[in-house]
Amino acid sequence: MVTGRNRGRSGDKAVAYLAVAFVVAGGILFVSVAILLFSPDPPRVFGIMAAVTLGCLFLVWLVSDHRDGRSLKERYGALIGLGPKKEKVKVKVKRVKRSEMEAPNRPPSVEDIRGLSEGANTWVPSSDKRQSDADC
């Protein structure tokens, strides 16, 4: 994983992909020559090899396509019935009367400000006694 100031350099990955391409191409060439020399039915074996190669390429594409940050289940789970379930949200709308909406057109008084600051700083301990780990 590339982090820090080298983040976003695609050249490092390109070299690795090029090396993998050469190794895979060499393997395919070697296997093809072996099939042509030793197989009694080369077209059938080439067909099987092509199907396996396409299947592997599909799996590699499926696993490596993660640019959007979602998991495989999030991206393709809906295709097989494993997608996230959509939850319905009930919204209750309450109509506010105009008289409740309008605030008085005056600056707050000293009593109003004291009342606001006192309400935020009051702490009342709970009546439940907590049990320690030794009591359990």
Side-chain angles (χ1 to χ4, degrees), residues 34-83:
I35 288 172
L36 287 174
L37 291 177
F38 300 112
S39 175
D41 189 17
R44 180 172 176 248
V45 177
F46 276 124
I48 292 171
M49 192 171 83
V52 169
T53 303
L54 287 176
C56 289
L57 288 175
F58 175 73
L59 288 176
V60 167
W61 171 77
L62 191 68
V63 171
S64 68
D65 183 27
H66 55 80
R67 288 177 291 238
D68 57 356
R70 296 183 302 164
S71 67
L72 284 174
K73 183 178 178 183
E74 291 171 342
R75 281 185 282 143
Y76 305 113
L79 297 175
I80 57 174
L82 296 176

Side-chain angles (χ1 to χ4, degrees), residues 81-99:
L82 296 176
K85 300 196 184 334
K86 294 182 180 178
E87 297 179 14
K88 292 183 179 179
V89 178
K90 292 184 178 180
V91 178
K92 208 174 210 183
V93 179
K94 181 181 175 186
R95 186 171 212 141
V96 180
K97 296 178 185 175
R98 183 172 290 275
S99 61

